[in-house]
Amino acid sequence: MTPLLSIQNLSVDFVSESGTTHALKNISLTVNRGEIVALVGESGSGKSVTSLSILQLLPSPPARYTSGDILFSADGKEPVSLLKKDRYSLQSIRGNQVAMIFQEPMTSLNPVLTCGEQVMEAILAHKKISKEAAKKQTISWFEKVKLPNPDTIFDRYPHQLSGGQKQRVMIAMAMCCQPSLLICDEPTTALDVTVQKTILHLIKELQQQSDMGVIFITHDLGVVAEIADRAAVMYKGGIVEQNPVKEIFTRPQHPYTKALLACRPVNHQRGERLPVVSDFLESAGVSRQRSKVRGEMAEINTTGHTSDIRSPASALLKAEHLSVWFPSKKNFFGKALDHTRAVDDVSFDVYKNETLGLVGESGCGKTTLGRTLLRLIEPTSGKIFYNGIELTAKQKDELQSLRKDIQIVFQDPYSSLNPRLTIGSAIAEPLKVHHILPDDKARKDKVVELLEKVNLKAEHFNRYPHEFSGGQRQRIVIARALALNPSFIVCDESVSALDVSVQAQVLNLLNDLKKEFGFTVIFISHDLSVVRYISDRIMVMNKGKIEETGPADEVYFSPKTEYTKRLIASIPKGVTV
């Protein structure tokens, strides 16, 4: 049978003044009808370049196709070369026969058009039907992708929807012309586990109904096990291994595939050092790096965990009946008529030297709670005590002296770094603000020392944020948070968008720095396997309230509430090795 898509010996270069980058090196891949093929690999391995090449979405220059071809055969017709199609011919294929779901729906959706108008636009571009018929089809697709109140969603703008709802609008837009091939580029990366599971089931269901082929790009091996039939593992622009998914997980052949599987936190005991891919590839003892099975988790060494340190005297931070309400409805005069209870009467303690994991679905109040503890968001009611000092009783100017002891690492390092400041200046800035160290030379020496602690180099001091990868930027903001030697840090989704190998490096770094500096951490994440790995205790939030709290392994392996059980059940299975 003729494959739906056949990539044959494709090579792509990026040419710039500084030289030529070989992004893809002689790769070959086929996708059949009714098949889901996963492209797996680290950031920069060539996954997205491969997908964008199919529809010629790479800017040329600098992109240059140096060899190979991409053949597409829709409806059993004779294969055509997509690389030889002109711009006009490609317009009839893009969105019609081959559709794409991009990683970030907010940047892919037009903020000034309603969601309904944007899906209608795609339908009207490829079908000769009236606007009324296009509107009916749009609402029908909103129903198929299980959006609540499709008629209402039609008239809403992207900013009025949650992340999961925006992603479903993107799926509706991609599916509305019933394409033969669907390309999904990291469509669930920033979604919590329950929304991710819903989206994965939805894509699988739609794929089975229409017998289309799917290329699913991800760095999450759990997602691969959940959805794909075959997987192709990419490394430095080449495909190093292609096999059915079961074969990839049970009998990986290439050392790089083994490394990717081994560095996931789900495959390791809590606190155990995660293997790093680069070190792993240099090492011959692959099996030695693999952890024990989950059944042996009860024998974990708990030295230094909460069972040893929990006592009222050791509580570094206390929250008492803390609430944060945001007005959701106002009258003509601006008076609030109704509120969203982001944090609703929450009380808990955080103990010295512990890592408290805070988990829950998107919108449960995790980030609001984390920022409120630092008074970046003002509480509606309740009290916060830090080291015996009531933070809620302090005026903003009085908080300034305490700021150096309490720091935050934000989810998106790029947006939290000033693009016009070098990273050396960004890390030195808090030292200047708090008048730490006598002069600029001493501060520079301190910054260089911090850079080296987070596995960066002195020569990076004068570089700008855009010159670094996502994992490097995350290490930069960790270095900035540590500059003032704080005793308490909030990590807000600090590894959620990183691929597994970079994630392993950052988690190892946090554990190393915690041992060296002795700080206390609240680790916010929607990835329960990461939270279980790094935390002493886990606190589960649901709709602004604390659902369950307990030792990490107890909550992860023996959840008490139905909500926590549902979160655990939503974690993609099939990757424990």
Side-chain angles (χ1 to χ4, degrees):
M1 187 176 69
T2 306
L4 178 65
L5 183 83
S6 177
I7 300 174
Q8 301 175 349
N9 303 314
L10 183 67
S11 295
V12 177
D13 289 350
F14 287 94
V15 182
S16 65
E17 291 178 0
S18 57
T20 300
T21 301
H22 304 296
L24 293 182
K25 303 168 188 173
N26 214 35
I27 69 161
S28 295
L29 180 75
T30 59
V31 182
N32 298 309
R33 288 168 183 80
E35 181 182 42
I36 299 179
V37 178
L39 274 184
V40 191
E42 298 172 275
S43 298
S45 62
K47 306 187 302 293
S48 292
V49 173
T50 303
S51 67
L52 293 170
S53 297
I54 294 168
L55 290 172
Q56 288 195 48
L57 294 175
L58 293 172
S60 181
R64 190 174 66 190
Y65 300 95
T66 57
S67 70
D69 206 351
I70 301 174
L71 301 177
F72 176 67
S73 173
D75 305 322
K77 295 177 182 175
E78 193 69 24
V80 295
S81 170
L82 294 179
L83 293 185
K84 292 174 184 172
K85 289 278 182 184
D86 58 35
R87 188 176 174 183
Y88 180 77
S89 302
L90 279 171
Q91 281 180 343
S92 64
I93 294 173
R94 289 174 181 161
N96 185 24
Q97 295 173 316
V98 182
M100 190 162 182
I101 302 169
F102 294 95
Q103 181 172 355
E104 179 44 68
M106 196 62 218
T107 55
S108 305
L109 292 169
N110 190 329
V112 299
L113 292 178
T114 67
C115 296
E117 286 174 326
Q118 296 185 61
V119 178
M120 268 182 65
E121 185 179 35
I123 293 171
L124 291 169
H126 298 290
K127 295 184 180 180
K128 293 180 180 178
I129 58 174
S130 66
K131 284 190 176 183
E132 290 75 15
K135 182 173 181 178
K136 281 183 182 177
Q137 286 191 20
T138 299
I139 292 171
S140 170
W141 274 106
F142 283 173
E143 287 171 357
K144 286 179 184 177
V145 299
K146 299 177 175 64
L147 278 165
N149 306 315
D151 292 321
T152 307
I153 296 284
F154 185 94
D155 294 316
R156 286 195 178 169
Y157 291 89
H159 73 272
Q160 295 175 298
L161 306 185
S162 70
Q165 288 173 334
K166 284 196 283 274
Q167 199 59 278
R168 283 179 234 191
V169 170
M170 287 294 298
I171 293 171
M173 191 186 301
M175 292 294 301
C176 64
C177 293
Q178 296 176 295
S180 302
L181 177 67
L182 179 66
I183 303 167
C184 305
D185 188 1
E186 303 266 16
T188 61
T189 293
L191 303 179
D192 64 61
V193 285
T194 51
V195 177
Q196 174 180 269
K197 188 170 186 177
T198 305
I199 296 294
L200 292 177
H201 283 181
L202 177 61
I203 291 171
K204 186 93 174 174
E205 186 182 313
L206 293 171
Q207 177 259 339
Q208 289 171 345
Q209 286 172 5
S210 58
D211 198 38
M212 66 180 174
V214 176
I215 296 176
F216 197 96
I217 298 167
T218 182
H219 60 248
D220 190 330
L221 291 157
V223 170
V224 173
E226 189 93 354
I227 197 172
D229 302 305
R230 280 194 300 124
V233 182
M234 296 196 71
Y235 178 60
K236 293 187 175 178
I239 293 177
V240 295
E241 185 168 354
Q242 277 191 73
N243 267 317
V245 164
K246 190 175 180 182
E247 191 95 359
I248 289 282
F249 287 115
T250 56
R251 289 188 296 276
Q253 302 300 309
H254 196 275
Y256 179 70
T257 310
K258 294 174 183 177
L260 283 181
L261 287 167
C263 70
R264 290 194 85 240
V266 74
N267 296 328
H268 291 268
Q269 296 179 1
R270 183 158 47 91
E272 179 185 355
R273 189 163 190 83
L274 297 173
V276 177
V277 168
S278 56
D279 297 338
F280 208 114
L281 291 173
E282 292 170 9
S283 168
V286 173
S287 60
R288 179 176 57 80
Q289 301 266 21
R290 308 260 286 273
S291 72
K292 299 177 182 178
V293 295
R294 263 164 63 153
E296 300 175 20
M297 293 303 290
E299 299 175 6
I300 291 172
N301 174 16
T302 56
T303 305
H305 287 193
T306 52
S307 55
D308 303 319
I309 61 176
R310 281 184 67 180
S311 71
S314 68
L316 180 68
L317 184 132
K318 294 170 71 74
E320 295 181 355
H321 304 289
L322 194 64
S323 293
V324 183
W325 294 9
F326 297 113
S328 58
K329 190 177 178 183
K330 295 181 179 180
N331 65 14
F332 179 78
F333 299 102
K335 184 180 178 182
L337 300 175
D338 200 4
H339 292 84
T340 298
R341 301 185 180 194
V343 178
D344 191 10
D345 196 24
V346 163
S347 298
F348 63 94
D349 294 344
V350 186
Y351 302 97
K352 287 180 182 175
N353 301 320
E354 85 163 334
T355 299
L356 175 67
L358 183 56
V359 298
E361 296 172 283
S362 297
C364 71
K366 306 186 300 291
T367 294
T368 301
L369 176 58
R371 295 186 181 194
T372 304
L373 293 175
L374 275 61
R375 288 278 304 273
L376 298 176
I377 294 175
E378 290 300 321
T380 305
S381 62
K383 294 179 179 179
I384 304 165
F385 293 91
Y386 169 74
N387 235 353
I389 301 166
E390 187 182 344
L391 296 183
T392 40
K394 296 283 184 184
Q395 297 298 318
K396 284 195 175 181
D397 55 341
E398 295 177 294
L399 282 172
Q400 184 71 13
S401 60
L402 288 169
R403 289 284 182 212
K404 65 178 184 295
D405 291 327
I406 50 177
Q407 292 288 312
I408 186 167
V409 178
F410 292 100
Q411 179 173 359
D412 182 1
Y414 195 69
S415 63
S416 61
L417 289 168
N418 187 332
R420 294 188 293 180
L421 283 183
T422 64
I423 62 122
S425 301
I427 298 170
E429 192 173 32
L431 296 172
K432 282 185 178 179
V433 169
H434 290 279
H435 308 294
I436 294 171
L437 300 176
D439 54 40
D440 287 344
K441 185 184 181 304
R443 293 187 193 108
K444 183 174 181 179
D445 292 342
K446 174 70 173 175
V447 171
V448 169
E449 181 189 328
L450 285 165
L451 286 173
E452 288 171 350
K453 281 195 186 299
V454 297
N455 302 322
L456 292 170
K457 297 175 182 175
E459 64 213 50
H460 292 143
F461 186 94
N462 291 315
R463 292 189 190 174
Y464 290 88
H466 73 271
E467 297 179 81
F468 295 89
S469 69
Q472 287 174 320
R473 284 198 289 266
Q474 197 60 271
R475 284 182 261 168
I476 291 162
V477 294
I478 289 170
R480 184 175 62 179
L482 291 172
L484 299 171
N485 198 18
S487 54
F488 179 71
I489 298 177
V490 174
C491 292
D492 187 6
E493 300 275 14
S494 53
V495 296
S496 64
L498 304 178
D499 62 59
V500 284
S501 58
V502 178
Q503 185 185 83
Q505 292 173 25
V506 173
L507 292 174
N508 284 339
L509 174 66
L510 283 171
N511 277 332
D512 291 345
L513 294 172
K514 187 169 179 282
K515 285 176 189 172
E516 183 177 345
F517 291 95
F519 51 78
T520 301
V521 181
I522 288 184
F523 191 90
I524 300 170
S525 180
H526 60 250
D527 189 332
L528 277 89
S529 58
V530 169
V531 170
R532 193 275 309 170
Y533 165 77
I534 201 166
S535 303
D536 299 302
R537 284 189 302 141
I538 292 177
M539 190 162 75
V540 183
M541 279 192 80
N542 180 24
K543 295 179 181 176
K545 291 185 177 290
I546 295 173
E547 190 82 18
E548 183 173 349
T549 307
D553 289 334
E554 187 179 302
V555 172
Y556 190 82
F557 294 112
S558 306
K560 292 183 175 61
T561 68
E562 287 304 314
Y563 177 76
T564 310
K565 288 175 183 175
R566 184 160 60 85
L567 281 182
I568 301 292
S570 297
I571 299 171
K573 301 295 189 294
V575 290
T576 303
V577 293

